[in-house]
Amino acid sequence: MTETTYPEVPVLVVGGGSVGLLTAVLLAHHGVPAVLVERRSGPSVHPRATGIGPRSVEVLRELGLDTAVDAVAVDLRGATGKAVARTVVEMGAGDVVSVPMPAPPAAELDTTPFRLRGVCAQDRLDAVVAADLARRGADLRWSTRLVGLAQDTDGVDVELEGPDGRYTLRCARVVAADGTHSAVRTALGVGTSGAGDLGKSMINILFHADLRPHLRGMSFATCTITTPEAPGLLATVDGGTDWVFHVACDVDGGERPEDFTHERCVAVVRAAVGDPGLDVEVRSVLPWRPRSSLADRFAVGRVFLVGDAAHTVSPLGAFGLNTGVADTHNLAWKLAAVHHGEAGAGLLDTYAREREPVAAATLDQALRRLADPALHWGRGPEADAARATAGVWAAPVVHLGQRYDSAAVVGSRPELPSTVDLSVALDGSPGSRVPHAWVDGVSTLDLVASRWTLLVGTAGERWLAAAADVGLPAHRIRAPWLSDDGALLVRPDAIVAARVTAPVPDPARFLTGVLDQVLARVAVPRALAGRSGHS
């Protein structure tokens, strides 16, 4: 056994799934060296999710990865979102019930600067992110697993086992992105609560087969197959030859995941397609079960839980992966601010304070949809009324409209003014995501550019002078959510930290006071706002 002790690293990321990879990219983006360890030999080729939500797209845009991810997404513009058919062959023949890809209302189209052209399978997302990490020279250690963890007031000692044996690593902080059965969460003794396992055990079959001749030009995100021989859910990976098929595993009837041999999976896929001679290559088979659980704590000392390690979200609504992306986006800039000496360690306490309520609300929204999928997919006045009765929020509000309430927000207003209309929910209130508006062809989200930013009204000369004095980038804009002599102080994660709607005696002193509070510091160095956040 090889025993090696490496120098201390600022952040260790445990887990190389989508959320772990994005954690490493965001840290690198903010100038924080990190080490990522993953027990697998590389990124997973088996996608567990295909829906990348609008807030996640905004995070990708912040990293400069939005167009690369869009290029590998399946183009579903004008396509079917959800279809129901007996088999793929019969679907292609026109015997299908379909729900078009939902067209956002005009007001909703104005709430975000960029949208993907369709779904993007998780393995394709991971490939883009991993390539970006390689470009940045990140320290990724595949085939490496966590063996032990112990922390003290000054750091965390982690024991790892890799291809060359066991070794220890001294870290300033650890981010656990190691999934539903998180070894880090277990080592911390953090329990979970919630509904737990839901519904039937499932088998996820990743396969390669050219279905285009049968589809006859049809494209869709998912299709419910109803044939009694192989009922299940077919989801696109590339829109033509790569697919995943979810089929139930009757555990109560004595069935086991290992019963789904290669031969049986081929037969299941052929039956679902309706072509007994179809050339099928089964690439991977994964058992899974819908689950809803929430970690009792998102942070313990110097260790932070993100993604499925913090919460497992039932699948309807595509909130799971996206909630994990929001976790790490909230955490990364805070870790960077502390690492660079721009903030006190107290800033890190706001991670759990902000993310735990939002994750709990998201789990609740996913569960409410699970009882009746029409509450998610339905359109029109009747569907709106049914959602209101069931307490179901509009999906865009779940993705983009939720708010934070912590010491990192001054004058927070956590209550949502609307759970139906996203444009109403994004009103510039402290704790909300800054509203998107075009300023000379540039989105306000792009103006933030991963750094503290001041947005001022059209009569904001005093605010502009104060920003220059404090060292903040500032932009004059015209928007209905910003008074002419008002200002919004926006955090690096595009969350409004403070809003001023009337003149203050000393704008520079006000800004300094807000930064002192949010950053948990007595004084804020002028270098704070000068960091571009880009690498």
Side-chain angles (χ1 to χ4, degrees), residues 341-406:
E342 299 164 350
L347 174 64
L348 298 176
D349 295 337
T350 67
Y351 166 68
R353 170 72 179 176
E354 292 183 345
R355 290 303 303 164
E356 287 177 5
V358 169
T362 303
L363 261 68
D364 175 68
Q365 286 299 308
L367 280 175
R368 289 173 185 267
R369 285 162 165 76
L370 196 62
D372 180 5
L375 293 171
H376 182 72
W377 290 98
R379 296 291 181 269
E382 290 185 4
D384 290 339
R387 277 191 284 269
T389 300
V392 170
W393 304 352
V397 175
V398 180
H399 281 290
L400 282 167
Q402 298 195 58
R403 300 180 172 190
Y404 295 147
D405 180 13
S406 76

Side-chain angles (χ1 to χ4, degrees), residues 39-120:
R39 64 168 57 236
R40 297 171 309 195
S41 59
S44 174
V45 299
H46 199 139
R48 292 172 172 82
T50 59
I52 301 178
R55 187 64 179 126
S56 296
V57 174
E58 292 174 359
V59 174
L60 293 168
R61 182 181 177 89
E62 181 182 336
L63 293 167
L65 300 178
D66 52 337
T67 55
V69 172
D70 192 49
V72 298
V74 179
D75 190 350
L76 292 178
R77 290 172 294 188
T80 294
K82 182 179 178 63
V84 180
R86 188 174 183 276
T87 65
V88 173
V89 169
E90 293 175 45
M91 173 171 40
D95 189 4
V96 59
V97 176
S98 62
V99 178
M101 287 294 287
E108 189 180 311
L109 289 172
D110 294 332
T111 58
T112 191
F114 183 78
R115 294 175 183 272
L116 295 183
R117 56 183 179 164
V119 296
C120 179

Side-chain angles (χ1 to χ4, degrees), residues 155-351:
V156 187
D157 291 311
V158 177
E159 186 176 8
L160 303 170
E161 184 173 53
D164 297 325
R166 291 192 178 190
Y167 60 94
T168 59
L169 197 66
R170 179 71 171 174
C171 317
R173 289 173 176 86
V174 172
V175 178
D178 53 342
T180 299
H181 305 291
S182 169
V184 175
R185 191 185 66 230
T186 299
L188 294 172
V190 174
T192 61
S193 61
D197 290 336
L198 305 165
K200 298 179 180 179
S201 295
M202 305 292 293
I203 300 295
N204 181 337
I205 304 170
L206 172 66
F207 69 94
H208 177 87
D210 190 355
L211 302 187
R212 289 172 295 187
H214 293 312
L215 289 171
R216 304 180 189 179
M218 276 198 67
S219 58
F220 57 87
T222 65
C223 179
T224 299
I225 300 295
T226 62
T227 177
E229 297 177 336
L233 182 72
L234 181 68
T236 182
V237 173
D238 73 349
T241 61
D242 292 321
W243 308 85
V244 290
F245 187 57
H246 299 270
V247 60
C249 176
D250 187 8
V251 174
D252 294 336
E255 209 167 35
R256 302 170 302 168
E258 51 265 35
D259 293 333
F260 284 80
T261 62
H262 178 275
E263 293 74 18
R264 181 177 178 184
C265 288
V266 169
V268 165
V269 169
R270 286 172 173 167
V273 174
D275 179 356
L278 182 70
D279 184 13
V280 179
E281 176 193 352
V282 173
R283 299 181 58 199
S284 177
V285 179
L286 291 177
W288 69 284
R289 188 171 183 177
R291 183 173 176 80
S292 179
S293 65
L294 187 71
D296 296 338
R297 300 174 67 183
F298 280 23
V300 178
R302 292 173 170 266
V303 184
F304 305 86
L305 308 181
V306 298
D308 286 352
H311 42 72
T312 304
V313 186
S314 56
L316 185 57
F319 300 136
L321 169 63
N322 296 293
T323 305
V325 174
D327 291 338
T328 195
H329 189 242
N330 179 287
L331 178 61
W333 76 269
K334 297 174 180 178
L335 288 170
V338 173
H339 172 74
H340 294 304
E342 299 164 350
L347 174 64
L348 298 176
D349 295 337
T350 67
Y351 166 68

